[in-house]
Every structure is written in C-alpha cells, then in structure tokens.
Amino acid sequence: RGPFLLLVALFFGPMVVAMWLYFGTDIRPSGQTHHGHLLEPVRPLPADTQWRLPQGEIANDLEGDLWTLLQFVPSPCEDACQNDLYRSRQVWLALDRRRTRVQRIAVVADAEEARALAAIAADADPNLKLRIVDEADPLRAFLRDPAHGPGTFYVIDPIGNWVLWYDRETDLRDIHTDFKKLLRLSKIG
C-alpha cells in the first residue's frame, strides 16, 4: 500500500502543484514570445497611400504576396539612418532561404533624397526598395506615432496589415527570430 500511494503522489503531485500555481496564484506565464510591439488588433494600412518610385512612377509594392519590413528615412540620411538601413539589410540577409518572402522598403519624403540613396543602394544594397511618400500622405500619419522614434522598423503582412513594430534598441537577433517564426507559421506570403 505504501509504494502505491508514493506512485500516486509522484504522478498527481506535480499536476496538483501546477494547477495551484496557475489558477490559485498570480504567477502566470506571459504567453508572449515575440520581441517587437504587437498590434492587437492589427490595422490595415490606408488604401489611398501613393507609393512613388524615385523616378516618379506609382509603385504597387503592397499588392503582392510578400511580407514587408518598412522604415522611414529622414532627410538627410546621416550615419544613424544609414546604420538603420544596414541593420534592416542584416535581418533580411539572415533570413536566408526565407528572404524571398520578405521585401524591404525605405520610405523617404522627397525625390532628391530618394535619388541620392538610390545611387548608394544600387551598388551596396540592390534589394532595398526606395519609395517616396509625401508628407501629407495618410501613411505617414498612420505610422508616425510619437512613441515611435527614428530607426523604427514596421512589419506589414502580405494583405497590407500593420502587424508589428520594433524600436531602434531591439536586437537584430530578436527581429530575425520573430521573422523566422512569422514566416514559418504564416499561410500567406
């Protein structure tokens, strides 16, 4: 009888303790594995946003089936800005075979800055898409929250919903880990 009670205690004891910790105390797992700031609920981007190429034509980058890593580029793009562009490139490169499902877009306010960056990016970073979005465009008001400082990365799903954002202090490995999870679990894009 003693060994039987010992086996029952060994089997049910951990379950009873776990249930007590979960339901009987305030100790709960956070349930969060992402490192960025998740938007709940996700918000669709404004439909009337006009993306323009540095040459002036309208671009339809968000109408495809790619995830987007978006960032705003101040004018002029100085060292910190160039470092942010480099950081987004490193995240994209680290995705390896999954990077075909992700595009990088840098949004600039004026055509002159776009042309200057396009000349630099043509050699150093040909996969960066430079797009011009005017200051009055609803996309700027939509994404430019005062809480988001310079160097913020935005994640947009293939449907055109703003899903996550990362501030400049977020470690690149954390952004890479989140993207790998997103791409592995996503049935879209």
Side-chain angles (χ1 to χ4, degrees):
R1 182 151 169 94
F4 175 72
L5 291 176
L6 181 64
L7 283 174
V8 168
L10 284 173
F11 182 74
F12 288 109
M15 283 196 317
V16 169
V17 170
M19 288 177 59
W20 172 75
L21 285 172
Y22 189 80
F23 294 111
T25 66
D26 289 333
I27 302 172
R28 300 252 168 116
S30 70
Q32 172 180 326
T33 61
H34 57 83
H35 300 94
H37 304 277
L38 183 66
L39 264 75
E40 291 186 43
V42 296
R43 299 188 319 204
L45 293 176
D48 51 350
T49 292
Q50 291 287 315
W51 302 89
R52 287 186 294 126
L53 299 169
Q55 299 81 17
E57 298 93 28
I58 302 293
N60 297 322
D61 293 312
L62 297 181
E63 293 178 6
D65 58 348
L66 297 175
W67 287 82
T68 302
L69 182 61
L70 180 91
Q71 61 194 113
F72 283 98
V73 176
S75 186
C77 184
E78 295 173 345
D79 291 342
C81 163
Q82 291 177 13
N83 186 45
D84 293 334
L85 291 170
Y86 173 77
R87 291 178 73 230
S88 74
R89 180 174 187 253
Q90 294 305 101
V91 169
W92 183 79
L93 287 172
L95 290 172
D96 197 31
R97 62 184 166 84
R98 291 184 180 98
R99 70 176 164 232
T100 58
R101 296 174 60 195
V102 178
Q103 64 181 340
R104 292 172 42 239
I105 296 179
V107 176
V108 286
D110 60 68
E112 185 177 318
E113 184 67 30
R115 283 190 288 276
L117 282 173
I120 296 169
D123 296 328
D125 195 359
N127 297 304
L128 178 66
K129 296 180 180 181
L130 291 164
R131 300 298 179 253
I132 302 166
V133 175
D134 297 322
E135 287 291 336
D137 195 285
L139 178 69
R140 285 196 175 271
F142 183 78
L143 293 176
R144 280 290 185 192
D145 186 318
H148 307 168
T152 301
F153 295 140
Y154 302 93
V155 177
I156 301 167
D157 71 12
I159 300 171
N161 295 317
W162 178 27
V163 180
L164 284 163
W165 63 276
Y166 299 93
D167 52 30
R168 183 178 273 165
E169 288 75 36
T170 306
D171 189 63
L172 294 181
R173 286 176 291 216
D174 294 339
I175 299 172
H176 173 251
T177 302
D178 283 358
F179 251 111
K180 275 187 8 185
K181 285 180 194 172
L182 267 174
L183 296 174
R184 187 179 67 240
L185 297 174
S186 173
K187 302 292 185 220
I188 57 175

